[in-house]
Amino acid sequence: MRTDDTSGPAEQPPSTGQEHELPAVVQRLWGDTAPRRRGPKPALSAARIVRAAMELADAEGLAAVSMARVAEAVGYTPMALYRHVSGKEELLILMSDAVAADLPEIPAGADWRAGLEAWTRAQIDMALTRPWMLDLPLSATPPGPNRVRWMDQAFGVMREVDLPADEKLAVVGLLAQHVLGEARVHVETHRAAVHKVRRDAGLPDDTPESELDPAAIHAADPYADFEVVLGRYAGPDTYPHIFASFASWSGPAVDGPGDDDIAFGISVVLDGLEAYLRRRGAITPQSS
Amino acid sequence: MRTDDTSGPAEQPPSTGQEHELPAVVQRLWGDTAPRRRGPKPALSAARIVRAAMELADAEGLAAVSMARVAEAVGYTPMALYRHVSGKEELLILMSDAVAADLPEIPAGADWRAGLEAWTRAQIDMALTRPWMLDLPLSATPPGPNRVRWMDQAFGVMREVDLPADEKLAVVGLLAQHVLGEARVHVETHRAAVHKVRRDAGLPDDTPESELDPAAIHAADPYADFEVVLGRYAGPDTYPHIFASFASWSGPAVDGPGDDDIAFGISVVLDGLEAYLRRRGAITPQSS
DNA sequence: CGTTTTAGTGTGCGCCGTAAACAGTATGTG
DNA sequence: CACATACTGTTTACGGCGCACACTAAAACG
């Protein structure tokens, strides 16, 4: 994280045409690379490195993505990576944009609400397919071309919503935020279940999930743990309201929830957004 | 030691003391420690370790919390910590509960909506005060006494909402999820601003924020970066809808947003929840 | 051609989390 | 009382991490 090229005050020589030189990460993100003039042709490339890193993350999780492992995967020395990527942080940033390469298909005739729902679900699905996405420390991540494409798609869905650009941005931001939250809850619940199954089976913590009984994972209920813990350590005097609420509870409803907790969150947020849009006069009253 | 008791339903034999031994982390979380009978009195304690770790995180961020640094802070060898905490993971789990020690005050007369809003805001404020909270890898974290206290408070606020316990749990979960998302956005925006100021000033990346110009940080506008990047690399042909929306945009509204983006998210979610509660007949029509 | 720029390698440093063997101390029990 | 036992904190060491730095080899320019 040293690597700050300039010694002294960061002053760019005002030499060439483009003033203001964007940060190197941003340039790399947008494929803005100066053409090479001398030296051996590069055999490696940032794209290949990123692809290898993603395959590693898919297979073994983000923790397995170390510079050494990635280098091994592409068949080079660890230090070779640094010719194409400024460091691990940049590699992760490139991954976080590359993961958003595929745009979802959204039905052409969808109105704003159906469109945004499809958009949100697609993004949640993507996160569940590549859970390591949620482990990326995405702080201070500049926007890359793929993420912006998703944004553009959302703006397209809201084509007929009469709202200033910055408010549309806030709407998209809120949905994106919900996506991450929802996905995180699911992924973490799943991980907890896997963890528990491993523990119960007495297997080491690095046993890959593929060697575990899927049925057992599915059956591992985090709420049951919660109840056990409360039962052991707490009582109505310590947590009166929780106990009161659960005392008058007849058990889970007959219609199993299944994936519907995702639907719950989305519908609440969209209902809230609809109220907001109506209040702002951004949609016609009969819309949706 | 852990028979694989998958056979048979989860039935609690009404037998003697504790069967079923909860995981050590959970026991430690709830202060369930067997009394010591022999050996020297411990000079260290898990509580002291956790406190030191939190002070370190407050001062220098979660990345500064290493076993060595924490040990140094409490004045012991790194390995001494392992007598009180099973490893770093457990330390982080203890921190994540300890951080929720202080309950917010919620006005007594508040109805469900005002109450939940206060609850949510308090939690967002807490996260902004201790941003490292969001860096905790909270996967598979069992609930601790402090977090459950927050939950109980939320259940208390919803005292008069007529909803089954599991649905109330879903409501609390949705709000908690929103809290994390909202806080994360703010913290990351802030970090990006700090990062940018440091870069522009040519300072090394590990310069503490306290040595930076607060005004410059406040002025660093992430949206401006966004516009610059789009202006440089993209055009109406690549992202038609975004450009269309921003083309017919008159600039930010006069009434500055200030902290109101927090209000936006909360109001949307609460509006959505209100619609949900009404649909379920959980609140009286004139309520709120 | 020599010069210069670049791609990938080899070595090594300082940090990390933690396993294992150990010394010292308080509490059992005879 | 002495001794066994259980417990705390230390020492030492290991493998892994990200990455700085000095190097060799290769391609393109003058």
Side-chain angles (χ1 to χ4, degrees):
Chain A
M1 52 192 60
R2 185 102 340 171
T3 82
D4 209 82
D5 38 3
T6 66
S7 51
E11 215 61 1
Q12 286 301 342
S15 55
T16 69
Q18 61 200 72
E19 16 67 72
H20 241 79
E21 284 276 350
L22 291 165
V25 201
V26 176
Q27 294 184 23
R28 214 106 55 169
L29 250 182
W30 291 83
D32 179 7
T33 55
R36 342 197 101 62
R37 350 187 70 86
R38 283 147 145 82
K41 335 219 108 148
L44 248 185
S45 74
R48 240 183 92 194
I49 293 174
V50 170
R51 193 170 351 112
M54 291 177 69
E55 283 163 9
L56 242 169
D58 284 338
E60 301 184 49
L62 195 67
V65 178
S66 72
M67 299 305 267
R69 297 282 314 268
V70 173
E72 186 193 359
V74 292
Y76 287 85
T77 341
M79 289 313 290
L81 308 188
Y82 289 85
R83 291 278 169 207
H84 305 269
V85 147
S86 75
K88 182 162 187 187
E89 185 184 337
E90 186 174 303
L91 172 56
L92 295 180
I93 291 178
L94 295 181
M95 286 172 72
S96 83
D97 192 66
V99 85
D102 297 326
L103 270 195
E105 288 198 20
I106 290 185
D111 66 340
W112 72 268
R113 177 151 183 161
L116 284 186
E117 174 165 352
W119 185 84
T120 306
R121 288 200 108 100
Q123 215 155 337
I124 294 179
D125 286 347
M126 186 180 83
L128 296 185
T129 314
R130 302 175 165 270
W132 51 265
M133 217 189 89
L134 302 168
D135 300 325
L136 288 168
L138 40 84
S139 71
T141 300
N146 289 323
R147 289 229 173 278
V148 177
R149 271 233 301 285
W150 280 75
M151 274 190 46
D152 192 66
Q153 195 179 30
F155 271 76
V157 163
M158 290 192 289
R159 210 178 312 112
E160 292 172 6
V161 175
D162 183 24
L163 214 58
D166 57 343
E167 293 187 42
K168 283 190 182 178
L169 207 58
V171 170
V172 174
L174 184 65
L175 285 177
Q177 178 180 318
H178 176 71
V179 162
L180 290 181
E182 193 75 47
R184 202 175 293 267
V185 167
H186 281 252
V187 167
E188 273 158 18
T189 305
H190 180 78
R191 283 178 183 160
V194 170
H195 201 79
K196 186 183 176 190
V197 169
R198 254 197 299 254
R199 239 183 29 90
D200 288 354
L203 294 166
D205 276 8
D206 57 355
T207 313
E209 185 183 338
S210 51
E211 292 180 20
L212 268 40
D213 178 12
I217 295 176
H218 190 261
D221 182 0
Y223 288 105
D225 289 354
F226 185 54
E227 278 183 53
V228 169
V229 169
L230 283 200
R232 163 91 89 235
Y233 295 118
D237 45 321
T238 40
Y239 305 111
H241 301 111
I242 290 181
F243 272 79
S245 180
F246 274 89
S248 64
W249 186 44
S250 49
V254 204
D255 48 350
D259 272 339
D260 290 1
D261 34 349
I262 290 187
F264 172 68
I266 293 188
S267 78
V268 166
V269 173
L270 287 182
D271 281 349
L273 279 180
E274 186 165 339
Y276 170 70
L277 295 181
R278 260 189 230 295
R279 220 181 304 128
R280 299 281 284 118
I283 52 178
T284 59
Q286 76 279 9
S287 183
S288 172
Chain B
M1 39 144 63
R2 316 295 330 123
T3 71
D4 53 334
D5 54 19
T6 55
S7 57
E11 214 64 355
Q12 44 175 21
S15 67
T16 69
Q18 64 210 59
E19 16 62 72
H20 238 81
E21 286 275 351
L22 290 166
V25 200
V26 176
Q27 294 184 24
R28 213 106 56 166
L29 250 182
W30 291 83
D32 179 8
T33 56
R36 349 195 99 64
R37 350 189 67 86
R38 285 146 143 85
K41 337 218 104 153
L44 249 186
S45 73
R48 240 183 91 193
I49 294 173
V50 170
R51 193 172 348 113
M54 292 177 68
E55 283 163 7
L56 242 170
D58 284 339
E60 301 184 49
L62 195 67
V65 177
S66 71
M67 298 305 269
R69 296 281 313 267
V70 173
E72 186 194 359
V74 292
Y76 288 85
T77 341
M79 290 312 291
L81 307 188
Y82 288 84
R83 291 280 170 209
H84 306 268
V85 146
S86 75
K88 183 165 186 185
E89 185 184 337
E90 186 173 304
L91 172 57
L92 294 180
I93 290 178
L94 294 181
M95 287 172 72
S96 84
D97 192 67
V99 85
D102 298 326
L103 268 196
E105 289 198 19
I106 290 186
D111 67 340
W112 71 269
R113 177 153 182 157
L116 284 187
E117 174 165 351
W119 185 84
T120 307
R121 289 200 107 101
Q123 215 155 338
I124 294 179
D125 287 346
M126 185 180 82
L128 296 186
T129 314
R130 302 174 165 272
W132 51 265
M133 216 190 90
L134 303 168
D135 300 327
L136 289 168
L138 40 86
S139 70
T141 300
N146 289 323
R147 289 229 173 279
V148 177
R149 271 234 300 285
W150 280 75
M151 274 190 46
D152 192 66
Q153 196 181 29
F155 270 76
V157 164
M158 290 192 289
R159 210 177 313 111
E160 292 173 5
V161 175
D162 183 23
L163 214 58
D166 56 344
E167 293 188 42
K168 283 190 181 176
L169 206 58
V171 170
V172 175
L174 184 66
L175 286 176
Q177 179 180 318
H178 176 72
V179 163
L180 290 181
E182 194 75 45
R184 201 174 295 265
V185 166
H186 281 253
V187 167
E188 274 159 17
T189 304
H190 180 78
R191 282 177 183 162
V194 170
H195 201 79
K196 185 184 175 187
V197 169
R198 254 197 299 251
R199 237 182 32 88
D200 288 354
L203 295 164
D205 278 8
D206 56 355
T207 313
E209 184 182 338
S210 52
E211 292 180 17
L212 268 40
D213 177 12
I217 295 176
H218 190 260
D221 182 359
Y223 288 105
D225 289 354
F226 185 53
E227 277 184 54
V228 169
V229 169
L230 283 199
R232 165 89 88 237
Y233 295 117
D237 45 321
T238 41
Y239 305 112
H241 301 110
I242 290 180
F243 272 80
S245 181
F246 274 88
S248 64
W249 185 45
S250 50
V254 203
D255 47 349
D259 272 338
D260 289 0
D261 34 348
I262 290 187
F264 172 68
I266 293 189
S267 77
V268 166
V269 173
L270 287 182
D271 280 349
L273 279 179
E274 185 165 339
Y276 170 71
L277 296 180
R278 258 189 232 295
R279 220 180 306 129
R280 299 282 284 118
I283 52 177
T284 59
Q286 76 281 7
S287 183
S288 172

